[in-house]
Amino acid sequence: MQLSSTLTWLVDAAAASPGADRFLAELGTRLVADDMPLAGGALTLAVPHPIIARRTWLWRAGNGEVIEAVGFAPVGFGGAGSSSGDAGRSWLARLAGGAVHEDTVGAGEGGPVLGWIGPRRFTEAEADRLREAARFAAAPLAALSARATLSAALEAYLGRRSAARVLAGPLRREVGETIRAVLLYADLRSFTALSESEPPAAVIAALGGWFDCIGGAVHAFGGEVLKFIGDGVLAIFPVGDKPREACDAALRAVASAKAGMAHLDTTRREQGLPPLSFGVALHLGEILWGNVGAADRLDFTAIGPAVNLVSRLEGLCRPLGRTVLISGAVAAETSATLIPLGTHVLRGIASPCAVYTAPDG
């Protein structure tokens, strides 16, 4: 059986594509080289992600450019997003004068969708060739989808940096690296009382609002949430060549989170609900970032004296009557104006810690 260069590539090499964007661009380029009149193409994949239901990549034949569009999933328990390729279909229809040709790849419902458009309507023979390419694309797209599913699941539970580190390293205990980072530890006040006095749905909504504020602020300023610990959050801002940048970013994230929580409390008061008080601490130090756990059940996390110190420092927020506390290590690096609160002994920490707060902390 003599295969075209496109089908040969789909059989022999397409599964090794680094991502769906490059797969689509290579497939489109090879189809054009095999005399298929294309103006553009689209590939849509369903995604197991907390807020994204589908990802669509859009390829323009004229310049080889690939852009991406996402479709968002409904919010709440039981929400199931559509894997429709409508984003690709709409974009293709505006790209050229032909009719959009689409194929669902594979036998399962909700599988990948490949779409194409040309400068004119495809002939029946050309449409048959596109359908044949879609059939040959089933195996490599299954491999790409499996990799994307694994990556998306790990990112949702671990964060982008940690997920990439897990995928790149061996799944063995005590494998990791020492990195320098600004650590952020935060938790809600009186959460136990809230849990006992409110129905579970109200408690989950409160946690969701809190985590959206603190997690969204961390990610907006380049940090990464490592752990949700009950009502607590552990996040890091890795330090590169300039510690000041990481320290300033962490302080901006805290200010953003405080503003978000003030807005959330306004909404809660309008609903007759109590405000959510919280404490946040920042510290700069070295952490071991990697695998810990049992022989066959691992956790990817950060451990070390710096983690212990930031959690103990946050515990001082209530006694000192402050929302934000900052260690001397961060204060020594940041360009922000801070207020000194003296030196304090932290439980379980050998050396006393110089403590600061923000002007509105």
Side-chain angles (χ1 to χ4, degrees):
M1 179 180 179
Q2 184 66 37
L3 298 179
S4 68
S5 64
T6 300
L7 300 185
T8 300
W9 174 77
L10 286 169
V11 171
D12 293 338
S17 298
D21 55 342
R22 299 318 310 153
F23 173 89
L24 175 63
E26 184 73 13
L27 177 55
T29 300
R30 288 179 177 275
L31 285 168
V32 170
D34 282 341
D35 298 322
M36 179 63 67
L38 296 179
L43 170 61
T44 296
L45 297 178
V47 180
H49 190 277
I51 59 174
I52 299 173
R54 62 186 180 272
R55 298 175 68 183
T56 299
W57 291 268
L58 310 163
W59 168 75
R60 189 186 294 270
N63 58 13
E65 181 184 19
V66 179
I67 60 176
E68 183 181 350
V70 296
F72 293 98
V75 176
F77 287 103
S82 165
S83 61
S84 164
D86 181 67
R89 189 181 311 123
S90 300
W91 184 83
L92 289 172
R94 295 193 299 269
L95 186 61
V100 176
H101 174 97
E102 283 190 327
D103 293 296
T104 299
V105 179
E109 184 178 351
V113 176
L114 270 171
W116 306 100
I117 197 165
R120 55 166 174 77
R121 183 178 293 273
F122 295 120
T123 66
E124 189 57 39
E126 289 166 345
D128 285 343
R129 288 174 59 197
L130 291 175
R131 283 189 283 269
E132 184 178 45
R135 288 195 296 273
F136 275 75
L141 278 179
L144 283 171
S145 294
R147 294 207 303 270
T149 295
L150 176 59
S151 179
L154 285 174
E155 286 185 13
Y157 284 96
L158 298 179
R160 179 165 295 182
R161 289 188 186 91
S162 297
R165 184 66 180 80
V166 168
L167 287 171
L171 294 178
R172 292 200 305 271
R173 186 170 56 182
E174 301 172 7
V175 172
E177 60 182 313
T178 298
I179 65 170
R180 196 165 181 234
V182 179
L183 292 100
L184 179 153
Y185 186 82
D187 76 350
L188 286 176
R189 299 280 178 255
S190 305
F191 181 69
T192 300
L194 177 70
S195 300
E196 292 178 350
S197 62
E198 298 289 339
V203 174
I204 290 172
L207 277 178
W210 157 240
F211 287 147
D212 277 344
C213 286
I214 191 72
V218 165
H219 294 147
F221 289 96
E224 181 165 305
V225 171
L226 289 186
K227 293 289 179 186
F228 295 115
I229 311 164
D231 63 324
V233 178
L234 175 63
I236 60 171
F237 295 78
V239 171
D241 297 331
K242 300 177 180 178
R244 174 169 291 186
E245 292 183 356
C247 292
D248 290 349
L251 284 164
R252 288 193 291 269
V254 169
S256 176
K258 287 188 65 181
M261 289 299 290
H263 178 74
L264 177 63
D265 282 344
T266 298
T267 301
R268 287 178 61 83
R269 279 192 293 270
E270 292 171 351
Q271 298 171 346
L273 298 171
L276 298 173
S277 60
F278 61 97
V280 184
L282 296 177
H283 177 54
L284 171 65
E286 288 191 343
I287 58 173
L288 177 62
W289 186 49
N291 296 329
V292 298
D296 60 350
R297 171 62 173 89
L298 300 178
D299 187 17
F300 194 88
T301 189
I303 60 173
V307 179
N308 300 334
L309 190 150
V310 76
S311 65
R312 298 291 189 264
L313 180 59
E314 191 278 328
L316 276 184
C317 287
R318 189 196 296 270
L320 295 181
R322 300 287 183 170
T323 299
V324 180
L325 294 180
I326 300 150
S327 76
V330 173
E333 295 288 352
T334 183
S335 60
T337 300
L338 301 178
I339 299 171
L341 298 178
T343 300
H344 295 263
V345 175
L346 303 178
R347 182 170 59 88
I349 306 298
S351 300
C353 178
V355 179
Y356 296 75
T357 190
D360 60 349

